[in-house]
Structure formats: structure tokens, C-alpha cells
Amino acid sequence: MILLSANNISKTYMERKVLDDVSFFLNEGDKVGIVGINGTGKSTLLKILAGAEYPDSGDVIRTNGIRISYLPQIPEFDDHGTVLEQVMAHLPADLMTSKEFEARSILDKMGVPDVERDISQLSGGERRRAGIAAALIQPSDVLLLDEPTNHIDNETAQLLEDMLMRYKGAIVMVTHDRYFLDKICRTIVEVDRGKIYSCEGNYSDYVAYKAQREADAEAAERKNRAAYRRELEWISRGARARGTKSKDRIERFEALKNRDIPVETEKVQLQSVSSRLGKKTIEIENISKKIGDTPLITDFSYIISRDARIGIVGHNGAGKSTFLKMIIGEIAPDSGNIVIGDTVKIAYFSQECESMDPTQKVIEYIRETADRIQTPDGVVTASQMLERFLFTPELQWNRIEKLSGGERKRLYLLKILMEAPNILLLDEPTNDLDIATLTILEDYLDNFAGAVLAVSHDRYFLDRMATEIFEFKDGQCIRYNGNYSDYAANVRESGGTDDKPKKKTEKKERSYSGMTKLKFSFKEQREYATIDDDIEKLEQAIADTEKAIASNSSDYVKLQELSDKKTELENELAEKMERWVYLSDLAERIERGEMIEV
């Protein structure tokens, strides 16, 4: 049964067409994840489905009587009122009493136990969790969730994951949490350049589907380019005859010339750049810190190695961000010292994101840091760096106020990395960043020649980057070897602290065992060397046959023979052309050094 459908939806924001004549259908029990690069229209699609916005064209049809519960990126509450009142504000009057216990229970599990506090006193993370509670207690057939895991800690994300897996209605959610998508969703919808692409399965299935879709498009385009070059050569020489076959080839040339060329998949690309880092990095000596009467960290010492990859976890308010701010000197420890080496150059990616002048142009914002930067591939300008971060030349001259929240976060990340630091401190870098940006950030960190400390609730990100986990809990910083999955397993099994001397975790190198370089067979090599001559001879034979037909117009027996010969030559030429396209494509792939399984 279809619960709701969006038919031929289009929507434009500030001259950017984010949705272009797209349709979406949601059936009973569907679990749909929406992914795509920031600014492509994911949240817009969700708002239209929820009725919070209207499309420029097209319509949304909702089955009579269906109940929709919607969690926006920024939960909407009144300025004042108790947490409990605000969470239950939109409940039908007849459910107020029966739902109160459920609301209190969810808020308690979400880490907001004091339901009588005024809503204005909640932190950003607490407001987010209150918003989740408000969405979950609404009687609904459809849950629409926009970035539900943003600004919540790992434990709360796991709790929300468990709740959603038990939810019996349909779910549509925008999220960059790849483990979340993998466990909950059975359909992935990608929003890309105004269009949507649907894949049955979870996130892992989608990754395979997208890779195959792009590979198919690339292979088809390679063949089209090869065929176009061949036809262009033929057109440039001048058609030696103007028979039916020649007209067909001219039409084929025009079709190839005017074909729709697939746009290369946009990826955030950035070579790892850093300053030289000496032997002395950052030495933390017996630091302690309290906020009021609450200890955040007690008598903690640690020397950060030059290639450290440290993931930092813990409840909201446990002291994770405070720890990073002590390292950069923004907050002083109550006792102890933090000694910074002379060659250390720290870049700090703030959770809040720095204030940006909305009237400033995108490229001007980056040029404040550097107009050009030295990378392993040579000098790259600010404009080129912006293009690698998906900011087109047109977008670079737009004002920052025209960017989406996620695009601003991506711009801020680029500015931080362009400082060429040798120690990176990242405070919740995964909030508001799309999966494409996260993937390339992870690849960047793999090759980064310096230390990385990252506060994050993104389990996938921590599994990819971390070789050590710091857990802030009850005023202590507890150290664990391995990535997040290793830490979670350790906590489940023993709940103990792993504070023994650490061995450096070795990174797994990509293995090419069972792979070999693509190459021609001996027969293909000989065929490729002579195929151009073979095609030219066939074209000449067809031209000669057409001349013979013209000079024997009265001899019907001879005409039939020549016509049959011409048809046979044309068929042979068509086969040879198909073979030429295949061999040319293969030659290109060999030149690029492609590998194949053996």
C-alpha cells in the first residue's frame, strides 16, 4: 500500500535547481535512507514530503488518515516551557495522559532526565535529543528524520538505532551515518544534480550499485568516444560515396557528436599537505580540569606520537571538547601542563564552525588562509582547491549566505586543511558533512603525515581512522587500543581499562594479491595493429562497388551481384567497426594501468 507519493517534483533555491521533475513513492513498512552531497536537495525533499515546504511544481499525495511525524535538522520548540511540555506539545489532547510515561522514559534514555527544566536551558545536543523524543512519541505511520544522529553521542545513537529497528511504520531519513544506514534501511535513495536514483538494499548494497552504475556509464562513454573519433576521421576525409550506408554513417556521427556525456562523479579530492613535524610534539603532564564541582579529567598524562590516530568518545558534557580546547590553549587546565613542540602547527576544526561573513564570497574566504598551496602534485591555487571540494567556478563567486549548512561546513574544513598543519584536532567533524566528503576526509587522514585527534560519534569514521580510543568517563580518560569496534568489544566483554603500554597499530595496506595488469593477448595485439588498414580497405571496396553499380545501371543481373557484394562488405565493415571500438577501449584501459583479478 502506498502511503505517500511525490509526483514530478521540482524545486529551485537561489537560482539552483535542487530537484528537477523527480518522483518518490513510499510504501507501507519501507525503510528509506536518503544520501547525496550537501546542497543537492536531501533536506528539501524531506520537507516537501512532510508538508513543511511546497514544491515549485508537481504534487504530493498522502493516503487519507496517515500520520506523519517529522524531525527537522533543528528541532522547533517555543522559547520557554518545560522539556516535558515541549516534547508533548503536538500530541492530541486525548493522548496527553497516556503518553506522559513514554515521553519521560524516552527522555531519560536519551540523557535528558530532568523533564521539568526550562527548554531554554538545554544545550544543542540536549535539544536534539528532546526533538528525537518528540518525534518518537507522536503516533505515526511514517517517520521523517533529518540527520537524527547529528550532535548526539555514540551511546544515544545506538539507542536510537535500536528504537528505529523496532518501529513498525515506514521510515525516511537523511543521514550520513553509514552504520545507521546499513542496519536500518532497506532502500537507499541518492539525490544527485536534481535527480534521484533508487537502490534496493542497505548502504553496502548501494555502494556496490553506485560503483557498478558509474563503471557502466564510464565504459559506455569510452566506447562512444572511440567510435566518435573513428567517425570524425571518416567525416574529415570526406565521404567517398553518398549511398544509403554513407547517410547512415553521417547520421551516426551526428548522434555521437550530440550525445549526452555523463558528468564525471563529483568527489572531494585533496592531496595530504602538512608542515614538517619535529621529534617533540605535544606532551600532556598530569592535567586536571573541573567544571564547577564536576571533574572532567583527573591527573592525565600522555605524549602524542607523530603519527597518532586517536578517536575520542564519551557522553555529551564528559569533557571531550574541553580536552581539545586545553591543547590549543583556549581553556587552561586547573593543574598540570601541556607542552607544545617548537615545530608543531595545530589546526583545530571546531564543532561550532567559525563565524563566517555571509556577504563574503566563497573564494575570498579561502584566500584569507592561502591563495595557493604546495601539494605533492605541485602548487595548487585557491580556486583549484575549491573545485576539488565541489565548489564550481560559478559557486566560488557566490556569497556564503547562499550556501547550505553542509556546504559551509565543507568550506570550513577546506580552510582548516589548507593551513598545512602537522597536528589535526577535529571536534565532531562528521556533523553536517555528506558521505562523499567524509570518505575523502578519511582517505586524506590515511595519508596525513602528522597526528590526528578526533572527537566523533560516527562509529564508521572512528573505525576507519582511529588506532587508539580515549573514553572520557566519570572524570577519567581511559585509553583503549584499536578502533571503535575494538573499543566497543572490549567494553562489552570486560568493561575494564586498557592502560598498558601501547603498541603501534599497524595499518592494513591494500593488497593486490590475485591481481594482474590488464594487457592484450597476442592475437588482440596483432589485430589492433592492422585493424585501421582493414577498415580502410573495406571502405574503399564499398566505394568501388558503388561506382560499379552506378556504371552498370542497365545490367540487372550484374546489379544484383554488386548489390549483394555491397551488403556483404557493409556487414563486414560493421563487424570490424564494433571490433575496433572494443580494441580501442581496451588499449585505453591498458594505458591507464588497470588491474584485473586472476
Side-chain angles (χ1 to χ4, degrees):
M1 173 182 169
I2 295 180
L3 299 179
L4 63 85
S5 61
N7 305 297
N8 308 112
I9 297 295
S10 293
K11 185 72 175 180
T12 300
Y13 278 124
M14 296 184 179
E15 302 176 358
R16 295 172 66 186
K17 200 158 195 175
V18 292
L19 297 174
D20 184 9
D21 194 31
V22 302
S23 296
F24 175 84
F25 306 95
L26 184 69
N27 293 295
E28 205 170 6
D30 282 352
K31 303 291 188 289
V32 181
I34 301 179
V35 300
I37 294 170
N38 286 334
T40 55
K42 305 185 299 293
S43 293
T44 299
L45 176 59
L46 208 65
K47 289 175 183 176
I48 290 173
L49 296 178
E53 280 193 17
Y54 296 96
D56 298 333
S57 62
D59 53 46
V60 178
I61 300 172
R62 301 174 183 86
T63 300
N64 287 337
I66 72 159
R67 300 163 298 177
I68 296 176
S69 183
Y70 170 52
L71 172 70
Q73 277 197 37
I74 302 174
E76 298 174 357
F77 296 118
D78 293 339
D79 292 338
H80 294 285
T82 70
V83 173
L84 185 62
E85 289 170 348
Q86 292 297 298
V87 165
M88 299 180 65
H90 299 291
L91 280 173
D94 60 332
L95 293 179
M96 283 292 187
T97 302
S98 61
K99 283 285 185 177
E100 182 176 339
F101 175 78
E102 182 181 352
R104 287 177 179 273
S105 175
I106 293 176
L107 284 165
D108 184 59
K109 290 177 181 177
M110 287 282 168
V112 191
D114 187 358
V115 298
E116 301 304 323
R117 286 170 66 191
D118 192 87
I119 196 77
S120 63
Q121 298 175 2
L122 298 189
S123 66
E126 289 172 327
R127 287 178 69 89
R128 186 70 179 168
R129 295 196 291 275
I132 292 171
L136 291 177
I137 68 165
Q138 290 288 330
S140 62
D141 306 295
V142 178
L143 264 179
L144 303 178
L145 307 173
D146 197 352
E147 297 289 5
T149 62
N150 266 7
H151 308 288
I152 62 175
D153 56 46
N154 305 72
E155 194 169 316
T156 307
Q158 183 65 59
L159 176 66
L160 177 59
E161 185 180 287
D162 295 339
M163 289 180 177
L164 293 182
M165 289 182 74
R166 294 194 298 269
Y167 180 72
K168 294 182 180 178
I171 298 173
V172 183
M173 63 178 174
V174 174
T175 183
H176 61 258
D177 190 316
R178 287 154 287 184
Y179 282 157
F180 218 69
L181 288 167
D182 237 5
K183 291 187 178 180
I184 295 172
C185 296
R186 296 196 289 269
T187 302
I188 303 295
V189 170
E190 178 186 7
V191 183
D192 184 23
R193 302 180 190 91
K195 302 298 183 183
I196 63 175
Y197 303 89
S198 182
C199 168
E200 294 300 318
N202 61 13
Y203 179 74
S204 298
D205 298 320
Y206 156 76
V207 170
Y209 158 79
K210 182 176 174 66
Q212 187 60 53
R213 190 183 82 203
E214 292 175 353
D216 290 346
E218 183 182 350
E221 177 55 21
R222 283 200 307 267
K223 291 183 179 180
N224 283 334
R225 283 198 305 268
Y228 176 72
R229 286 198 305 271
R230 183 72 208 177
E231 296 303 307
L232 181 60
E233 289 174 13
W234 180 78
I235 288 288
S236 299
R237 290 200 305 267
R240 285 184 283 260
R242 295 295 175 188
T244 303
K245 190 64 176 180
S246 296
K247 291 178 182 178
D248 289 344
R249 287 196 68 178
I250 292 171
E251 289 174 0
R252 180 168 64 182
F253 169 76
E254 291 299 327
L256 285 167
K257 180 181 177 182
N258 299 318
R259 73 191 186 278
D260 290 330
I261 298 175
V263 181
E264 184 179 354
T265 302
E266 294 178 323
K267 294 183 176 69
V268 182
Q269 300 175 15
L270 183 63
Q271 289 289 336
S272 178
V273 291
S274 60
S275 306
R276 187 187 70 83
L277 181 60
K279 291 183 178 180
K280 187 174 182 179
T281 57
I282 298 175
E283 297 180 2
I284 301 169
E285 302 172 345
N286 306 109
I287 63 169
S288 297
K289 185 68 183 177
K290 288 183 179 180
I291 299 295
D293 294 328
T294 304
L296 300 181
I297 188 167
T298 305
D299 195 28
F300 179 69
S301 298
Y302 189 78
I303 297 175
I304 297 173
S305 65
R306 292 168 48 165
D307 59 352
R309 293 293 185 271
I310 299 170
I312 302 174
V313 301
H315 293 296
N316 289 340
K320 306 184 299 295
S321 297
T322 300
F323 177 62
L324 296 188
K325 289 177 180 178
M326 284 194 287
I327 292 175
I328 63 172
E330 186 174 316
I331 294 176
D334 297 335
S335 61
N337 297 297
I338 297 176
V339 182
I340 309 293
D342 293 336
T343 60
V344 168
K345 186 176 181 181
I346 297 175
Y348 172 57
F349 182 88
S350 169
Q351 182 176 165
E352 295 80 18
C353 190
E354 71 177 15
S355 177
M356 297 179 179
D357 178 359
T359 64
Q360 190 177 30
K361 290 182 172 60
V362 169
I363 194 165
E364 292 171 349
Y365 175 77
I366 291 300
R367 282 176 174 168
E368 286 180 346
T369 299
D371 188 44
R372 58 189 65 243
I373 191 169
Q374 183 69 46
T375 75
D377 292 335
V379 175
V380 180
T381 66
S383 179
Q384 290 170 325
M385 295 294 278
L386 280 163
E387 282 199 64
R388 295 179 181 185
F389 254 55
L390 309 185
F391 293 100
T392 62
E394 297 79 14
L395 196 56
Q396 292 176 25
W397 293 98
N398 276 356
R399 292 182 175 184
I400 288 175
E401 64 188 357
K402 292 188 176 182
L403 301 182
S404 70
E407 287 173 320
R408 293 187 192 194
K409 204 72 178 280
R410 189 196 312 148
L411 183 64
Y412 174 49
L413 175 62
L414 173 58
K415 184 175 182 178
I416 292 296
L417 298 181
M418 281 192 69
E419 293 174 4
N422 47 38
I423 292 187
L424 271 172
L425 305 183
L426 307 175
D427 194 355
E428 295 289 5
T430 63
N431 281 347
D432 303 312
L433 288 184
D434 54 68
I435 291 173
T437 309
L438 287 174
T439 301
I440 302 302
L441 173 60
E442 289 157 357
D443 291 340
Y444 174 91
L445 296 180
D446 283 344
N447 301 304
F448 179 68
V452 182
L453 285 77
V455 174
S456 181
H457 67 267
D458 189 318
R459 296 160 292 174
Y460 193 103
F461 176 76
L462 291 173
D463 272 349
R464 280 280 278 108
M465 64 78 55
T467 59
E468 192 170 4
I469 298 293
F470 285 7
E471 181 189 20
F472 280 74
K473 183 177 181 182
D474 300 329
Q476 300 294 322
C477 180
I478 308 167
R479 296 163 47 210
Y480 295 85
N481 275 324
N483 59 17
Y484 182 82
S485 293
D486 297 325
Y487 151 77
N490 194 319
V491 170
R492 280 196 305 268
E493 290 174 8
S494 67
T497 300
D498 179 11
D499 213 7
K500 298 176 183 178
K502 302 297 182 287
K503 293 181 180 179
K504 179 182 172 182
T505 302
E506 295 181 1
K507 289 186 179 180
K508 294 181 180 179
E509 298 293 332
R510 182 178 296 175
S511 172
Y512 287 101
S513 59
M515 305 288 285
T516 187
K517 280 190 175 182
L518 183 65
K519 62 182 180 180
F520 279 125
S521 68
F522 178 73
K523 182 179 178 181
E524 287 171 336
Q525 182 68 58
R526 291 184 59 188
E527 184 182 8
Y528 185 58
T530 60
I531 196 167
D532 282 323
D533 291 338
D534 294 341
I535 289 173
E536 191 170 341
K537 287 176 183 177
L538 285 168
E539 289 174 341
Q540 185 60 52
I542 291 171
D544 292 342
T545 304
E546 288 177 339
K547 286 179 183 178
I549 289 173
S551 62
N552 289 278
S553 57
S554 59
D555 187 342
Y556 295 107
V557 174
K558 186 67 173 177
L559 278 176
Q560 186 61 52
E561 290 177 357
L562 290 170
S563 179
D564 290 344
K565 180 180 179 182
K566 179 172 176 284
T567 299
E568 184 179 335
L569 288 168
E570 287 173 340
N571 290 336
E572 191 175 345
L573 177 62
E575 290 176 4
K576 193 66 74 173
M577 286 292 296
E578 285 291 324
R579 190 64 180 165
W580 183 89
V581 168
Y582 166 75
L583 292 171
S584 296
D585 174 49
L586 184 58
E588 283 187 13
R589 293 167 63 197
I590 291 171
E591 189 174 346
R592 288 198 305 271
E594 282 193 21
M595 307 285 288
I596 59 170
E597 292 184 9
V598 293

